[in-house]
C-alpha cells in the first residue's frame, strides 16, 4: 500500500470558530476512502482545504507521486502562503512563494491531480453537456489564441481529442444521448453524473466526491456505487468520498474516516467502524458528549 | 389561436382607451375644458390593432427561440443555420454597395452604425460572454479615440499606427480595470466600472493642459497609402483624386472610411465567432456560469477575466479610433455615461452573447433614431420602450445564443484514449452501468447550503 494523499495536523479556523482541529488521515493509492460524520462535522471543510478553496490555518496536505517518484507535492504551498522573514535569505523559497502568490490558487491543485464535485451541484447551466466537459479539459487543450483563430491543424486535432475523451466519459456515465443538451435542463440524477464526468475530464489522480448520492433514488444510488467501484478497479483512480448514505459507504469503501465537531474520532475498516463506541455515540447521541 | 390574439388586442385597446380618455380627450383651452372624444378612440384603436398585428407577426416568424433550451436540445433537426450563407451574403452585398447610393449624411450614419457594432462586439465579450457587468465601457472607447487624437497631436502618429495602438492601449486599460475588480461580482462590479468610466471622462475634461478639456482635440483624416482625401493636399502628399485622375468629391473620404470600417468589423465578427468556439471563449462562458466550478477545473479565473476585459477593451478602443477619424475631432462630451448605457442596450437587446443579435441591435438602435430625427427628443424614450417590450416578449434578447452542436455517436472503433492511465482498459469494455429511473426528480431535495 502506498499513500496518495497525506493530511497531517490540519486545523481550520474561521474567526473564532474552529471548524477543523488537528485532522490527520491518509488516502491509499487506488482505494476508496469515505469521510463520514454528522451534519456540520467539517467534512466539506476538509474537502475545501484539500482542493485549495480554503487555506488551512495550520497543517500539511501532501500529494504523493508514486508513479514518477519525483517526490511530494505540497498542496498548501500552491495557494500562496504568506511570506516569512526567513525567506528573505533564501531566494529560491522566496521566488516560489512569490510565484504562487501571483499565480496560485485552487486551479493549481486541480492541475496537480485533484478533482472534485460539489455538495450543491455546480454545473455550467447554459452550456451544453459536451461544452461542460470541454471546459474541464481547458488546461490540457491550450493551443494559444492565434492557433484557434486560424484553426491550425494542431488546434483542430487537440479539440478533436478533447471531444473524444469527453465522449468516452459520457459513455461511461451513460450520458451520450444528452451531449448537446443544456446542462441546466438535465434531470437531477443526470446532473450529478455529469459533474463527476466533468471532474474526471481534468484527468485527476484523486477524485473527491461530496455527497454524490444526495438526492438519488435507491436504484440510482446502487448504480452509482457500481460506477465508483469501476473508477477504482478499472482506472486505478483514488476516490475520497463524503456520504451520508451508510449503506453505500459500508459497501464500497476500503477505509473510513469519521469526523465529529472538526475532529477525527475514528478511522479504519468499515466493519471496525460499525462497532466503534465513539462513532455510535456521535451518530446516535448516546453516552457522554 | 387567432381568436386569443384578437381578444388580447381588444383588451389592450380597452386599457388604452381608459388611459387616453383623460390624458388626451380632455384638453384645457384657456380656462375651459374641451372634450375631444375622437382622439382617445383613434389612439386606442391604433394600440389595439398594432398589438394584435405584432402578436401575429411574433407568433408566425419570431417565436422560434421562445422555448429556451429546446433549440439546443433539438440540435440538427430544425437547423436554423440552413439559410445562413444566403443571409450573410445578402447582408454583405448590401453593406458593400450601400455607400455608393447614399449621400454624405447617410454614409455618416452608416459609419456610426458600424462603430456601434464594433463597440457592441467588444462589450459583448465582457458582458455577454464573461458575464462581467461593465457600465464604463465608454472609457475604452475614449482611450481609443484619444490615442489617435493625442498621437497625431503630439507625435504626428498616422491613423494606421493609431488603430492597433489605440486598441492595445485600451486593452491595457481594460486589464488595469480588471485587476482591482477581480473579486467583485454583479452590482459591485457595475458600480466600480461606472466609476472608472466617469474618471476617464473627468480626466479628459479637466486636465486641460494635456487634453484641451472641453474644447477637445482635432484629428487628421486617414490617408490611403499616403494619398489624401482632400481637394488639395494638406499633409504634404498627393490627393487621391489627382492620383487616380478622377473628379474630386466630398463623399470619397466618407466612403473610404466606411469601407475600411466595414472590413475591420467583418474581421472582428469572425474573431468573435471563432473565440466563442475556442477554449478561451468557453472559459469566459464557464466563468459567467460558475466561477467556483471553473477554479475547481484547473482554470485560472484571473487570466480568464483579464483576457475578457482586455479583448473587449481592445475592440472598443479600435471603435474609438474610427470614431475620432470619422468626426475629425474628439472631446469628452462624446464619452458620457449615456454612451455606455447605449452600448449596453445594444448588447442586451441583441441577446447576450449572440453576435448576430448585436449586429442587428446596433443597426436598430443607431439607424432608427437617425431616421426619426424629427422626434429627437424622444430618442431615449425609444430605447426605453424597445427595452421594455423586449423584456416582455423576448427576455433573452432578439437572438438567442446558439450553442455549437457536437457529433458524438458514431465512434467506429473504441479509439479510446484512457483518461487516467494509458495501460488500462477503457470504459468501452465491460458492462455499462445501468441507471434506474434516471430522469426522475429527487425524492429528498439536496442539501442547499452554499459551500464552499
Ligand atoms: N466559510 C465558512 N465560514 C465560517 N464557518 C464555516 C465556513 N465553512 C464552514 N464553516 C463551519 O464549519 C463547520 C463545518 O461545516 P461543513 O460544511 O464542513 O460541514 P459538513 O460536515 O460538510 O456538513 P454537512 O453534512 O451538512 O454537509 C460548520 O459549523 C460551519 O458553520
Ligand atoms: Mg458538507
Amino acid at each position: 500500500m502506498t499513500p496518495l494523499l497525506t493530511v497531517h495536523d490540519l486545523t481550520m479556523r474561521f474567526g473564532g470558530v474552529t471548524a477543523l482541529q488537528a485532522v490527520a488521515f491518509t488516502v491509499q493509492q487506488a482505494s476508496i476512502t469515505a469521510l463520514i460524520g454528522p451534519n456540520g462535522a467539517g467534512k466539506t471543510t476538509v474537502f475545501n482545504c484539500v482542493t485549495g478553496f480554503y487555506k488551512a490555518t495550520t497543517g500539511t496536505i501532501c500529494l504523493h507521486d508514486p508513479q514518477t517518484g519525483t517526490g511530494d507535492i505540497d498542496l498548501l504551498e500552491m495557494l500562496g502562503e504568506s511570506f516569512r522573514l526567513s525567506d528573505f535569505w533564501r531566494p529560491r523559497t522566496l521566488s516560489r512563494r512569490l510565484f504562487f502568490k501571483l499565480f496560485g490558487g485552487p486551479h493549481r491543485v486541480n492541475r496537480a491531480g485533484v478533482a472534485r464535485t460539489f455538495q450543491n451541484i455546480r454545473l455550467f447551466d447554459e452550456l451544453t453537456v459536451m461544452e461542460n466537459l470541454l471546459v474541464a479539459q481547458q488546461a490540457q487543450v491550450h493551443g494559444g489564441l492565434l492557433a484557434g483563430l486560424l484553426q491550425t491543424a494542431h488546434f483542430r486535432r487537440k479539440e478533436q481529442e478533447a471531444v473524444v475523451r469527453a465522449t468516452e466519459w459520457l459513455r461511461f456515465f451513460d450520458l451520450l444521448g444528452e451531449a448537446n443538451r443544456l446542462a441546466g435542463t438535465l434531470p437531477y440524477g443526470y446532473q450529478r453524473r455529469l459533474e463527476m464526468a466533468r471532474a474526471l475530464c481534468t484527468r485527476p489522480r484523486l477524485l473527491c466526491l461530496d455527497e454524490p448520492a444526495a438526492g438519488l433514488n435507491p436504484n440510482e444510488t446502487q448504480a452509482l456505487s457500481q460506477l465508483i467501484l469501476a473508477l477504482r478497479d478499472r482506472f486505478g483512480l483514488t476516490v475520497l468520498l463524503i456520504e451520508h448514505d451508510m449503506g453505500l459507504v459500508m459497501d464500497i469503501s476500503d477505509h473510513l474516516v469519521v469526523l465529529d465537531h472538526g475532529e477525527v474520532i475514528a478511522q479504519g475498516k468499515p466493519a471496525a467502524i460499525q462497532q466503534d463506541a465513539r462513532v455510535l455515540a456521535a451518530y446516535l447521541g448516546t453516552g457522554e458528549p | 389561436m387567432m381568436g386569443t390574439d384578437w381578444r388580447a388586442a381588444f383588451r389592450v385597446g380597452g386599457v388604452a382607451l381608459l388611459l387616453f380618455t383623460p390624458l388626451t380627450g380632455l384638453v384645457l383651452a384657456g380656462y375651459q375644458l374641451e372634450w375631444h372624444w375622437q382622439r382617445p378612440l383613434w389612439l386606442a384603436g391604433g394600440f389595439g390593432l398594432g398589438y394584435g398585428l405584432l402578436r401575429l407577426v411574433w407568433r408566425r416568424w419570431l417565436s422560434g427561440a421562445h422555448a429556451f433550451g429546446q433549440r439546443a436540445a433539438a440540435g440538427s433537426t430544425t437547423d436554423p443555420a440552413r439559410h445562413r450563407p444566403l443571409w450573410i451574403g445578402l447582408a454583405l452585398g448590401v453593406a458593400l454597395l450601400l455607400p455608393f447610393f447614399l449621400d454624405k449624411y447617410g454614409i455618416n450614419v452608416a459609419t456610426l452604425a458600424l462603430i456601434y457594432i464594433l463597440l457592441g462586439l467588444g462589450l459583448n465579450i465582457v458582458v455577454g460572454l464573461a458575464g462581467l457587468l461593465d457600465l464604463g465601457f465608454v472609457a475604452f472607447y475614449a482611450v481609443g479615440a484619444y490615442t489617435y487624437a493625442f498621437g497625431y497631436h503630439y507625435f504626428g502618429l498616422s491613423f494606421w499606427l493609431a488603430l492597433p495602438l489605440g486598441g492595445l492601449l485600451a486593452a491595457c486599460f481594460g486589464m488595469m480595470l480588471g485587476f482591482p475588480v477581480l473579486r467583485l461580482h454583479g452590482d459591485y462590479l457595475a458600480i466600480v466600472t461606472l466609476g472608472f468610466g466617469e474618471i476617464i471622462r473627468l480626466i479628459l475634461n479637466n486636465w486641460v493642459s494635456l487634453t484641451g478639456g472641453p474644447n477637445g482635440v482635432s484629428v487628421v483624416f486617414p490617408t490611403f497609402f499616403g494619398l489624401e482625401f482632400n481637394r488639395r493636399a494638406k499633409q504634404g502628399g498627393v490627393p487621391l483624386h489627382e492620383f487616380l485622375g478622377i473628379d474630386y468629391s466630398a463623399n470619397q473620404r466618407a466612403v473610404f472610411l466606411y469601407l475600411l470600417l466595414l472590413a475591420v468589423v467583418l474581421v472582428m465578427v469572425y474573431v468573435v465567432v471563432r473565440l466563442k468556439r475556442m477554449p478561451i471563449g468557453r472559459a469566459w462562458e464557464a466563468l459567467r456560469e460558475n466561477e467556483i466550478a471553473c477554479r475547481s477545473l484547473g482554470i485560472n479565473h484571473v487570466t480568464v477575466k483579464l483576457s475578457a476585459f482586455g479583448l473587449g477593451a481592445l475592440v472598443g478602443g479600435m471603435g474609438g479610433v474610427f470614431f475620432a477619424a470619422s468626426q475629425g475631432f474628439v472631446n469628452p462630451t462624446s464619452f458620457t455615461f449615456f454612451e455606455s448605457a447605449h452600448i449596453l442596450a445594444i448588447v442586451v437587446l441583441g441577446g447576450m452573447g449572440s453576435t448576430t443579435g448585436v449586429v442587428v441591435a446596433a443597426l436598430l438602435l443607431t439607424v432608427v433614431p437617425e431616421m426619426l430625427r424629427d422626434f429627437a427628443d424622444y430618442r431615449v424614450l425609444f430605447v426605453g420602450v424597445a427595452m421594455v417590450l423586449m423584456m416582455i416578449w423576448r427576455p433573452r434578447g432578439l437572438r438567442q445564443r446558439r450553442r455549437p452542436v457536437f457529433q458524438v455517436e458514431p465512434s467506429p472503433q473504441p479509439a479510446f484514449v484512457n483518461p487516467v492511465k494509458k495501460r488500462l482498459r477503457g470504459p468501452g469494455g465491460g458492462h455499462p452501468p445501468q441507471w434506474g429511473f434516471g430522469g426522475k426528480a429527487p425524492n429528498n431535495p439536496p442539501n442547499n447550503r452554499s459551500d464552499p
Side-chain angles (χ1 to χ4, degrees):
Chain A
M1 292 285 251
T2 45
L4 178 68
L5 178 82
T6 313
V7 175
H8 181 65
D9 190 30
L10 179 66
T11 299
M12 181 81 224
R13 291 196 196 91
F14 300 103
V17 181
T18 305
L20 297 177
Q21 177 66 48
V23 169
F25 62 91
T26 51
V27 175
Q28 300 297 327
Q29 180 82 25
S31 77
I32 297 173
T33 303
L35 204 55
I36 62 172
N39 286 111
K43 307 180 293 294
T44 301
T45 308
V46 171
F47 263 38
N48 284 337
C49 289
V50 170
T51 55
F53 281 91
Y54 290 162
K55 250 185 239 178
T57 315
T58 59
T60 53
I61 302 171
C62 244
L63 194 67
H64 306 287
D65 206 339
Q67 276 158 346
T68 57
T70 46
D72 305 342
I73 307 169
D74 183 354
L75 294 186
L76 278 183
E77 182 192 32
M78 298 188 163
L79 306 178
E81 297 165 308
S82 45
F83 296 105
R84 288 191 209 122
L85 200 61
S86 59
D87 293 341
F88 288 94
W89 49 86
R90 267 185 257 144
R92 251 181 74 91
T93 333
L94 184 71
S95 58
R96 271 183 81 84
R97 264 184 225 242
L98 193 66
F99 176 81
F100 284 122
K101 264 269 186 243
L102 289 177
F103 306 108
H107 60 278
R108 293 241 162 236
V109 177
N110 174 270
R111 290 185 202 172
V114 182
R116 72 172 291 181
T117 64
F118 295 88
Q119 188 167 351
N120 46 343
I121 303 176
R122 291 178 180 277
L123 290 173
F124 308 124
D125 285 349
E126 305 249 318
L127 270 58
T128 63
V129 168
M130 179 57 87
E131 285 178 301
N132 267 270
L133 300 189
L134 293 183
V135 169
Q137 299 178 58
Q138 204 85 341
Q140 299 139 37
V141 175
H142 271 315
L145 208 59
L146 217 58
L149 286 179
L150 301 176
Q151 282 184 284
T152 58
H154 176 76
F155 172 81
R156 272 181 306 193
R157 198 174 58 244
K158 284 279 177 201
E159 279 279 300
Q160 193 50 39
E161 275 173 25
V163 171
V164 168
R165 185 170 298 113
T167 308
E168 293 306 327
W169 280 120
L170 285 181
R171 181 168 295 138
F172 182 78
F173 284 101
D174 197 20
L175 286 168
L176 257 191
E178 324 294 330
N180 289 312
R181 266 179 87 172
L182 294 188
T185 65
L186 288 181
Y188 186 81
Y190 288 45
Q191 293 196 355
R192 279 253 172 245
R193 280 181 277 152
L194 175 57
E195 209 191 14
M196 286 173 70
R198 191 181 64 178
L200 287 164
C201 273
T202 64
R203 290 198 261 187
R205 283 185 292 144
L206 175 66
L207 179 67
C208 303
L209 303 172
D210 199 341
E211 302 199 15
L216 299 187
N217 65 32
N219 285 333
E220 289 175 324
T221 307
Q222 179 59 33
L224 176 74
S225 62
Q226 294 308 310
L227 279 179
I228 295 176
L229 285 173
L231 287 178
R232 178 193 64 184
D233 299 339
R234 269 202 249 153
F235 304 123
L237 256 173
T238 311
V239 180
L240 180 61
L241 172 84
I242 295 178
E243 192 43 71
H244 281 298
D245 185 330
M246 282 307 139
L248 173 74
V249 168
M250 296 300 164
D251 269 359
I252 65 171
S253 43
D254 305 310
H255 186 74
L256 278 178
V257 179
V258 190
L259 275 180
D260 190 24
H261 295 296
E263 288 180 59
V264 178
I265 55 171
Q267 47 181 318
K269 294 241 175 282
I273 293 293
Q274 273 170 321
Q275 313 296 325
D276 192 289
R278 287 188 66 188
V279 177
L280 292 177
Y283 268 94
L284 303 175
T286 54
E288 284 302 304
Chain B
M1 275 299 183
M2 294 273 286
T4 53
D5 281 345
W6 291 119
R7 260 202 298 284
F10 199 71
R11 270 201 299 277
V12 167
V15 172
L17 192 65
L18 275 179
L19 265 176
F20 285 119
T21 304
L23 279 177
T24 63
L26 292 172
V27 175
L28 197 65
Y31 295 105
Q32 300 260 286
L33 271 182
E34 279 181 14
W35 172 236
H36 294 269
W37 58 272
Q38 313 94 322
R39 283 195 195 168
L41 279 184
W42 276 116
L43 278 168
F47 264 80
L49 203 70
Y51 178 77
L53 284 177
L54 266 180
R55 256 184 90 116
L56 269 184
V57 167
W58 180 71
R59 194 186 293 291
R60 275 287 146 76
W61 291 292
L62 299 175
S63 58
H66 187 56
F68 151 63
Q70 281 179 6
R71 180 176 280 182
S76 51
T77 46
T78 53
D79 195 4
R82 213 160 21 123
H83 297 299
R84 242 166 133 204
L86 188 73
W87 280 114
I88 292 176
L90 214 66
L92 251 180
V94 170
L96 269 175
L97 294 179
L98 195 67
F100 302 104
F101 294 98
L102 290 175
D103 57 352
K104 188 143 187 253
Y105 169 73
I107 299 173
N108 279 339
V109 172
T111 307
L112 201 64
L114 285 182
I115 290 176
Y116 276 112
I117 291 180
L118 213 50
L119 293 174
L121 288 175
L123 189 61
N124 199 22
I125 292 177
V126 184
V127 178
L129 295 180
L132 305 161
L133 183 51
D134 185 349
L135 293 183
F137 194 68
V138 77
F140 311 124
Y141 186 36
V143 167
Y146 269 91
T147 303
Y148 183 23
F150 290 162
Y152 170 66
H153 196 79
Y154 291 111
F155 311 109
L157 208 65
S158 79
F159 172 83
W160 297 99
L161 268 176
L163 188 60
L165 215 66
L168 287 179
L169 208 64
C172 290
F173 270 80
M175 298 213 210
M176 245 167 59
L177 169 67
F179 253 113
V181 300
L182 276 176
R183 288 158 174 274
L184 300 183
H185 292 269
D187 314 348
Y188 302 97
L189 178 67
I191 296 294
V192 174
T193 52
L194 178 71
F196 181 74
E198 284 300 286
I199 288 171
I200 297 282
R201 187 179 65 83
L202 288 174
I203 289 176
L204 292 175
N205 207 27
N206 295 323
W207 192 349
V208 178
S209 59
L210 178 76
T211 67
N215 295 332
V217 192
S218 62
V219 176
V220 71
F221 198 80
T223 58
F224 182 65
F225 293 109
L227 301 171
E228 293 179 35
F229 287 89
N230 297 315
R231 190 179 292 279
R232 293 208 178 67
K234 285 186 194 134
Q235 298 171 48
V238 184
L240 181 84
H241 64 101
E242 272 178 25
F243 184 80
L244 293 179
I246 52 172
D247 286 341
Y248 172 76
S249 143
N251 267 0
Q252 280 162 2
R253 56 194 279 174
V255 172
F256 165 70
L257 195 69
Y258 173 89
L259 291 177
L260 183 60
L261 181 52
L262 185 64
V264 171
V265 166
L266 289 178
V267 170
M268 279 304 151
V269 166
Y270 173 78
V271 167
V272 171
V273 167
R274 280 298 318 154
L275 279 176
K276 285 198 282 198
R277 281 150 188 266
M278 277 163 52
I280 181 79
R282 285 195 294 260
W284 289 336
E285 291 197 85
L287 197 73
R288 174 193 72 204
E289 294 299 311
N290 202 321
E291 186 173 325
I292 287 173
C294 261
R295 299 168 72 177
S296 83
L297 297 173
I299 294 173
N300 186 351
H301 70 296
V302 175
T303 48
V304 174
K305 263 189 193 178
L306 288 185
S307 66
F309 270 119
L311 276 173
L314 180 104
V315 181
M318 286 168 70
V321 175
F322 272 103
F323 177 74
S326 74
Q327 304 287 311
F329 167 81
V330 285
N331 82 348
T333 49
S334 311
F335 309 110
T336 55
F337 169 68
F338 181 77
E339 212 60 28
S340 287
H342 191 82
I343 306 166
L344 190 64
I346 288 173
V347 174
V348 174
L349 194 72
M352 296 273 195
S354 158
T355 310
T356 327
V358 163
V359 172
V360 173
L363 290 176
L364 266 181
L365 285 187
T366 321
V367 176
V368 174
E370 286 298 330
M371 293 204 299
L372 303 175
R373 256 283 126 114
D374 299 341
F375 307 96
D377 293 344
Y378 301 105
R379 196 175 140 170
V380 184
L381 186 72
F382 167 79
V383 176
V385 170
M387 297 297 267
V388 170
L389 288 182
M390 200 199 70
M391 285 304 147
I392 295 170
W393 282 326
R394 301 180 71 80
R396 300 188 142 255
L398 291 176
R399 289 275 306 186
Q400 205 202 308
R401 165 110 163 72
R402 252 206 324 268
R403 313 284 348 162
V405 175
F406 289 88
Q407 211 67 41
V408 284
E409 200 40 291
S411 169
Q413 80 277 36
F416 182 60
V417 200
N418 190 313
V420 184
K421 278 190 200 164
K422 291 261 154 55
R423 316 177 238 115
L424 289 168
R425 199 151 52 94
H431 296 292
Q434 289 300 313
W435 284 81
F437 308 97
K440 246 183 70 183
N443 296 331
N444 40 342
N447 189 345
N448 269 337
R449 265 236 320 279
S450 70
D451 57 315

